[in-house]
Amino acid sequence: MWNNTLLLWYFQVHENHRRKFYGSILMNKMIDLAKENGFRAVTLETQNTNAPAIHFYKQCGFMIEGVDLSFYTNLDNGNEEIALFMRKKLDEE
């Protein structure tokens, strides 16, 4: 917990169970727990190349709030994965 923000570091649903709303159920529960424990926001990191994850997180109310062009390597030339930091603010609900 930094800055009263919960960092979601690893979120994955096994491929055999995707598109069955398990991800939404898990995310909603995690957000509820964050609210109950007084967090003001939930932050996560994904990649610009992971369109399904970006779409899912946006459906859950996350917005892109940051980009890191050299998060994965110092040798990025713009053609590799770029880190996207997404956040859902909890105090606005």
Side-chain angles (χ1 to χ4, degrees):
M1 173 179 82
W2 177 82
N3 199 15
N4 208 24
T5 300
L6 179 69
L7 175 61
L8 180 59
W9 189 250
Y10 190 80
F11 187 86
Q12 184 176 5
V13 175
H14 189 278
E15 62 188 42
N16 293 343
H17 300 288
R18 292 181 187 155
R19 313 231 14 108
K20 297 178 183 175
F21 299 101
Y22 294 125
S24 296
I25 292 167
L26 288 170
M27 183 64 77
N28 288 333
K29 182 62 176 173
M30 192 273 315
I31 289 168
D32 288 344
L33 288 169
K35 288 178 186 177
E36 290 170 14
N37 286 281
F39 288 94
R40 68 179 187 90
V42 178
T43 299
L44 56 85
E45 176 267 326
T46 191
Q47 304 79 30
N48 64 315
T49 56
N50 193 345
I54 295 167
H55 180 74
F56 170 74
Y57 295 135
K58 283 185 173 183
Q59 284 184 320
C60 292
F62 286 79
M63 304 281 297
I64 296 172
E65 286 211 348
V67 175
D68 190 333
L69 301 175
S70 57
F71 190 69
Y72 306 118
T73 176
N74 287 339
L75 304 174
D76 291 344
N77 63 13
N79 296 325
E80 289 83 13
E81 288 183 332
I82 295 171
L84 301 179
F85 293 90
M86 301 182 75
R87 175 171 291 162
K88 178 175 177 67
K89 296 176 183 175
L90 304 178
D91 58 353
E92 294 181 352
E93 298 179 356

